[in-house]
Amino acid sequence: VHGIPETYPLDFHSPYGCSKGTGDQYMLDYARIYGLKTMVFRQSCIYGQRQFGVEDQGWVAHFVIATVKNRPITIYGDGKQVRDLLHVQDLVHAYELGLQHIEAQRGEVFNVGGGPQNTLSIWTEFGPLLADLAGYEVPAKWGDWRPGDQRVFITDIRKIREQLGWQPTISPRQGIQELYSWVS
């Protein structure tokens, strides 16, 4: 109902996930051992203007850029995978609040994502949205599931809302429309 909380045990599904988890742990240990003013933001799917996404990183921007430039899009799996999306402007606001509250929140972990209210199926919902923006059905080819792909990932953002007063303000539809206009 709320998504995956910060207390959920970390289980890395890829070398990329391992590198993110390692960074998390370094920041927590530096705060705990040395008293440094660090906190961890576990970010979900961040997108927005000035993102030059590629197939493996920045898939929202990659799909938009591919649509505008009439490049091929490959959907791995069944296209029903669900992610929560967060516009970069909302992420920047979270960082600003984090810096303002670093003394009290040093050593804390926060999920920073779109949460359950800002989810999107990567193709069954995003494909029709792109078609609306482009004015035609966007073609895609299909590939097998990739190792490490998660079918559903939604962050529980209640902790950051309660402790920092933050929540997303830009819906995926609005943010993707802005991204599409910028790419065009």
Side-chain angles (χ1 to χ4, degrees):
V1 163
H2 298 289
I4 298 171
E6 292 86 353
T7 56
Y8 192 83
L10 297 179
D11 183 16
F12 308 120
H13 291 269
S14 67
Y16 175 68
C18 289
S19 68
K20 288 174 73 171
T22 300
D24 278 17
Q25 195 60 53
Y26 275 125
M27 293 303 101
L28 295 176
D29 284 345
Y30 282 130
R32 180 177 51 84
I33 295 170
Y34 304 113
L36 293 181
K37 297 176 189 174
T38 63
M39 66 174 58
V40 171
F41 279 2
R42 291 186 181 150
Q43 301 172 183
S44 81
C45 180
I46 310 302
Y47 71 99
Q49 293 88 331
R50 292 183 173 71
Q51 182 181 35
F52 299 99
V54 294
E55 190 171 70
D56 289 335
Q57 295 289 328
W59 65 271
V60 172
H62 168 66
F63 284 3
V64 170
I65 292 166
T67 299
V68 169
K69 294 189 167 275
N70 201 25
R71 294 181 182 161
I73 295 174
T74 301
I75 305 301
Y76 296 95
D78 61 10
K80 296 178 183 177
Q81 301 92 314
V82 175
R83 300 292 182 266
D84 66 325
L85 277 62
L86 184 66
H87 193 276
V88 67
Q89 289 176 5
D90 284 329
L91 175 63
V92 169
H93 185 240
Y95 272 93
E96 290 168 345
L97 288 170
L99 288 171
Q100 289 171 16
H101 296 92
I102 193 69
E103 292 291 340
Q105 301 300 331
R106 180 183 60 80
E108 290 290 329
V109 175
F110 295 99
N111 285 338
V112 183
Q117 297 78 20
N118 292 293
T119 62
L120 190 69
S121 169
I122 69 164
W123 196 248
T124 57
E125 291 178 314
F126 195 29
L129 175 57
L130 281 175
D132 287 346
L133 294 169
Y136 60 89
E137 188 165 332
V138 178
K141 58 183 179 177
W142 298 85
D144 291 336
W145 287 93
R146 295 179 296 183
D149 276 353
Q150 295 176 299
R151 294 181 190 254
V152 176
F153 186 83
I154 301 169
T155 52
D156 179 348
I157 57 173
R158 291 178 297 168
K159 181 178 176 183
I160 193 167
R161 181 173 41 237
E162 293 164 5
Q163 294 186 19
L164 296 182
W166 176 89
Q167 64 183 16
T169 61
I170 301 171
S171 72
R173 177 169 283 279
Q174 176 189 352
I176 291 167
Q177 287 172 333
E178 290 173 5
L179 178 58
Y180 191 91
S181 294
W182 179 78
V183 170
S184 293

